[in-house]
Amino acid sequence: MIGDLGARDATELAELVARGEVSPTELLDAALAAVEARNPAINAVVLMQEGVARKSIAEGLPQGPFRGVPFLIKDLGCEAKDFPTNNGSRLFANTVYSQDSAIFERIRATGVVTFGRTTSPEGGVGTVTEATVYGGPTRNPWNLDHTSGGSSGGAGAAVAAGIVAMAHGSDGGGSVRIPASSCGLFGFKPTRARLPDGPYAGEGWAGMAIDGFLTRSVRDTAVMLDACEGPDLGAPYVAPPLGRGHAAAISRPPGRLRVGICDTTFTGDRIHPEVAEAVRATGRLLESLGHVVEPARPAADVPVMMRAWTDIVGVGTALSIRSKLGDRPPRADEVEGVSRGAWAHSQTLHPTRYLQAVGEIHAFGRQMAGFFDQGPDVLLTATLAEPPAKVGRFAPTTEDYVAYRTGPQGIFAYSPFCAAFNASGQPAASLPLGWSADGLPIGVHLAAAYGEDELLISLCAEIERAAPWTGKRAPMAG
């Protein structure tokens, strides 16, 4: 019998099941008890389907690497017949799907026991998770006055609180890495198209969005990525093929790497001193592991990329709203202020602007590819420019969508690093390697060249072995 999932990772829980020391039902009971005890304070788990979970156990779980481990999927994407969704929005509340998505089918085949969804901002737009449809913000288990991040903020909070050992997320501008940084977890964004999008989408946000996972350990992410990677039927494009896979990569050292370190933003602006010191400390750790660490900063056009990202996501948000409302403007009782602002912004764009913005994103990707081709193997930065923000600071109430994203106090100023690698399609990861003076997690960000997922995750595993973070527990985790 297990009383609490605690700080165990999913691999350890699966091993307990395989040895017969605990049953899938006992693990599910522990997760459900944790939801009851902890979720009221953090508001991370929604749309629970306990009956579906118990039925899956009774019918026999697949003999996958995570057989019997409780699991949660994000309330955005990851379409599944047995799991209705709100997509973070009152407009899409209780949407039911007719078939399972490819990513959900592959997740299910690992043997996990999915029992609910986790909160997301409306349409996945934002670095916080404070959607009206959930009746209140999602809070950080390390300090309830602060955000757990976004858009996979519910996933990050649920894992950090010890409700589950890992959870599904997705990342279109940092939405796995930002909650990983905010909640003291590991978050990895694979190379563009490494994971399937179908059949409900050909690509997300012009290829910038991709699924991912919030985990306690590098090994959990590696095994889950191996289980889910590869195109689905009819995928419009595919990622470069892997070698032996992520799990094999973490068992061997990455070799001596050239690491570029940037303790400012990509435009040279200062970041919070505690965050900058976490970056420098990681640089010193990498030097101690034998890597060559030197200052580096990409000479890529970040402002143009950010505006292109803003326009693409604005058009995507408007298209989603249009699927429900047709051509009429959305009302305040239907969607959040930021989404109404995105809809209004999309109406101001020239019909050719979307393709122009996609071209700018592609040009930025070539600039970043040139940086890695002529420079470091890996780039080290912060994940966020400061520790986790307080709840309410980025509440999605404003209708000034452009300022919300690109203004001097906007989201890009708070998160100036992550979206660059959604635009370039390159793999990137947030590692929980720093702490603020008041006890909040600080994530450190690593990125590699396009297709070099195995090299990057190998380095992440080497860092984890040298400076372990698995086992640290947020106050909400008991």
Side-chain angles (χ1 to χ4, degrees), residues 126-414:
T127 58
V128 300
T129 302
E130 302 181 17
T132 303
V133 71
Y134 308 121
T138 298
R139 298 178 181 274
N140 194 318
W142 291 95
N143 185 321
L144 298 178
D145 291 333
H146 292 259
T147 181
S148 62
S151 64
S152 308
V159 176
I163 292 172
V164 289
M166 67 174 174
H168 161 262
S170 56
D171 193 317
S175 292
V176 164
R177 291 159 290 157
I178 291 168
S181 178
S182 301
C183 294
L185 304 171
F186 179 64
F188 189 96
K189 185 202 79 68
T191 290
R192 180 174 51 231
R194 179 71 68 201
L195 301 176
D197 278 318
Y200 290 91
E203 62 177 7
W205 290 351
M208 294 189 292
I210 190 167
D211 288 273
F213 306 95
L214 278 298
T215 66
R216 295 188 178 281
S217 66
V218 175
R219 66 180 182 176
D220 281 359
T221 290
V223 172
M224 187 60 93
L225 287 174
D226 282 344
C228 295
E229 73 92 16
D232 58 315
L233 186 66
Y237 46 79
V238 301
L242 296 169
R244 294 170 56 197
H246 303 86
I250 67 173
S251 65
R252 61 181 187 271
R256 190 168 185 257
L257 301 178
R258 297 167 299 162
V259 178
I261 183 171
C262 177
D263 63 359
T264 66
T265 70
F266 291 151
T267 53
D269 296 324
R270 292 182 179 180
I271 61 178
H272 191 284
E274 291 178 324
V275 176
E277 177 50 33
V279 174
R280 293 189 288 267
T282 302
R284 294 191 292 270
L285 172 63
L286 288 168
E287 284 183 323
S288 75
L289 294 173
H291 304 293
V292 177
V293 180
E294 296 179 338
R297 193 172 68 189
D301 199 337
V302 174
V304 167
M305 177 277 294
M306 288 181 172
R307 186 55 188 253
W309 190 102
T310 300
D311 289 349
I312 290 169
V313 173
V315 170
T317 302
L319 180 63
S320 178
I321 292 171
R322 190 176 187 275
S323 72
K324 280 284 189 180
L325 302 181
D327 291 330
R328 76 165 174 83
R331 300 191 308 264
D333 63 341
E334 294 172 321
V335 300
E336 312 280 2
V338 165
S339 296
R340 297 197 305 277
W343 183 92
H345 175 66
S346 74
Q347 308 306 301
T348 70
L349 301 177
H350 190 276
T352 61
R353 172 56 187 158
Y354 180 84
L355 287 181
Q356 181 187 34
V358 171
E360 290 169 354
I361 289 293
H362 292 169
F364 180 83
R366 287 179 165 82
Q367 294 165 6
M368 293 295 286
F371 168 75
F372 281 92
D373 183 58
Q374 300 297 321
D377 300 303
V378 173
L379 179 62
L380 165 64
T381 69
T383 306
L384 295 169
E386 57 186 271
K390 284 198 169 184
V391 169
R393 177 172 158 192
F394 295 112
T397 52
T398 178
E399 293 187 38
D400 193 340
Y401 165 72
V402 173
Y404 184 77
R405 298 297 322 180
T406 63
Q409 303 300 318
I411 282 174
F412 277 133
Y414 176 66

